Amino acid sequence: VYVPPRARGRGGKRMWRIKTVEEYERDEHKKEPTPVKKYARFHSLEEMLRPKSTEEMEPRKKIFLQFLQGLLQFNPNERW
């Protein structure tokens, strides 16, 4: 938080503003970590569960997929 010199609002109260990232880094002498954005490259639950499957995992994956689809229903009347 930063209080600019002589910054007054209504009634003579001090005005506060949030520092920009550059002001924070300069004043605190440290660099803000840049967030790493890694997104999954699938568009459905089926695509997410498809890779690296073995024959014995297929039935479990289908059951798990059905379970997730039931939990993630948008309509609350159809949700489990």
Side-chain angles (χ1 to χ4, degrees):
V1 176
Y2 172 69
V3 182
R6 297 188 209 120
R8 300 286 177 183
R10 293 183 181 161
K13 292 184 179 180
R14 277 189 175 172
M15 291 178 56
W16 297 82
R17 74 173 180 85
I18 297 176
K19 292 181 180 182
T20 64
V21 174
E22 292 80 19
E23 289 172 333
Y24 172 79
E25 290 173 349
R26 183 188 65 230
D27 295 346
E28 299 297 322
H29 305 293
K30 54 181 152 181
K31 190 113 170 118
E32 192 70 19
T34 53
V36 177
K37 294 182 181 180
K38 291 187 177 180
Y39 297 103
R41 296 179 186 248
F42 55 85
H43 300 285
S44 68
L45 292 173
E46 290 89 356
E47 287 181 32
M48 181 179 82
L49 295 175
R50 190 177 305 145
K52 301 178 186 173
S53 66
T54 61
E55 289 295 321
E56 71 178 49
M57 291 297 288
E58 281 301 316
R60 290 181 185 174
K61 283 173 46 175
K62 287 181 183 177
I63 293 169
F64 183 62
L65 179 62
Q66 183 182 8
F67 174 71
L68 287 178
Q69 288 172 335
L71 288 179
L72 300 174
Q73 284 291 323
F74 185 73
N75 184 348
N77 295 326
E78 296 175 7
R79 196 178 307 142
W80 295 357

